[in-house]
Structures are given as C-alpha cells and as structure tokens.
Amino acid sequence: MRIATFGDLHLCPSLSSDRFGNDEEQLLRFDDHLREVHDRIVLMGDVFQTDYGAYPGPRPEILERIMARYPRIIRCWREGPYQIIFGNHDRITHKLLGTLKQIQMKKDGWRLWFIHGHQFDPFIREKKF
C-alpha cells in the first residue's frame, strides 16, 4: 500500500489573507498525481486557516468562504482515497466536516499512527470541542 501525507496548507478565504498563494488549479494537478500513484492520501491538519479574521478563534463562516473559494479540490478531498485530520488552525472542521483527530492502521506488518502534532507543542494546550 502506498500512502501519501501532507498538510499545513492553511487555505484562506481570500487571496489577500492567503500567505501561501494557494491556487486551485495547482492543487488539482497535485491531486491527479497523488491519486495515480497512491492507494490512500491523508491530509495531516491545518488544511484550512479558520481562525483568521476580525476576532480570534475558529469561525464557521470562514470555513464556508474557504470552501467556496476551492470548490473542486474540496470535492476531491471529501472522496476516497482521502482522509482528513484536523489541526490547531482548523479544529472546527471536526464538528463541521467530520475530520478526524487521528488515524491508526495496521498494514503489511506495520502499525501507523497519523496525527497533526499540535498536541505535543508545549505552547498549545489541547482544547475540548
């Protein structure tokens, strides 16, 4: 089994707030490549930047605007072979999109554990949601 992982895209609702300059066409080409050569793809959290705005904290309307900005790639990511883990900047996606805190699997004699990792950062306290 071939597994691809990536994360920390921090997709934002507008080009002016997007520090990474993400382009949906590039993401779609990347998706095509990943699907061709991998059986499973895990998005490792902070895919979305839902805590930008006029006041701090995650906001559902920010996630809605991000999804409207990237409709085709969001559609791709919501189907297999993708699974999405939430991170500290898109924790709200757990409640709104059903993203996971972690993924554990056993395959070909290997035990794998996928997690964003913010839980181990001494400056970020794991919050209940």
Side-chain angles (χ1 to χ4, degrees):
M1 172 179 278
R2 294 183 59 125
I3 303 170
T5 64
F6 68 97
D8 290 285
L9 292 172
H10 294 273
L11 299 178
C12 292
S14 68
L15 188 57
S16 63
S17 61
D18 190 341
R19 291 181 285 166
F20 297 98
N22 292 296
D23 175 86
E24 188 170 41
E25 293 303 322
Q26 290 175 330
L27 291 171
L28 288 165
R29 284 193 300 278
F30 185 53
D31 173 70
D32 288 341
H33 167 72
L34 291 176
R35 286 176 184 262
E36 285 178 20
V37 296
H38 296 89
D39 304 304
R40 189 176 232 173
I41 304 162
V42 180
L43 300 179
M44 298 291 295
D46 287 353
V47 175
F48 310 100
Q49 185 75 42
T50 62
D51 55 2
Y52 275 172
Y55 56 90
R59 300 186 1 226
E61 70 274 11
I62 297 293
L63 180 61
E64 289 173 18
R65 288 176 45 209
I66 295 167
M67 293 175 68
R69 182 175 176 209
Y70 297 97
R72 294 176 295 158
I73 196 67
I74 300 299
R75 221 173 6 260
C76 290
W77 290 345
R78 293 188 83 176
E79 321 171 336
Y82 281 93
Q83 288 184 286
I84 304 176
I85 293 171
F86 65 85
N88 51 307
H89 291 284
D90 60 4
R91 186 177 283 129
I92 195 170
T93 62
H94 176 69
K95 184 187 285 184
L96 299 176
L97 301 178
T99 59
L100 306 169
K101 183 175 185 175
Q102 63 183 327
I103 297 169
Q104 295 181 11
M105 68 176 84
K106 289 183 182 180
K107 190 67 179 165
D108 301 328
W110 290 83
R111 291 178 58 182
L112 304 170
W113 182 35
F114 300 95
I115 191 165
H116 178 65
H118 64 275
Q119 299 87 343
F120 307 111
D121 186 330
F123 298 106
I124 300 173
R125 197 179 302 159
E126 181 70 18
K127 296 178 182 174
K128 301 286 183 200
F129 45 85

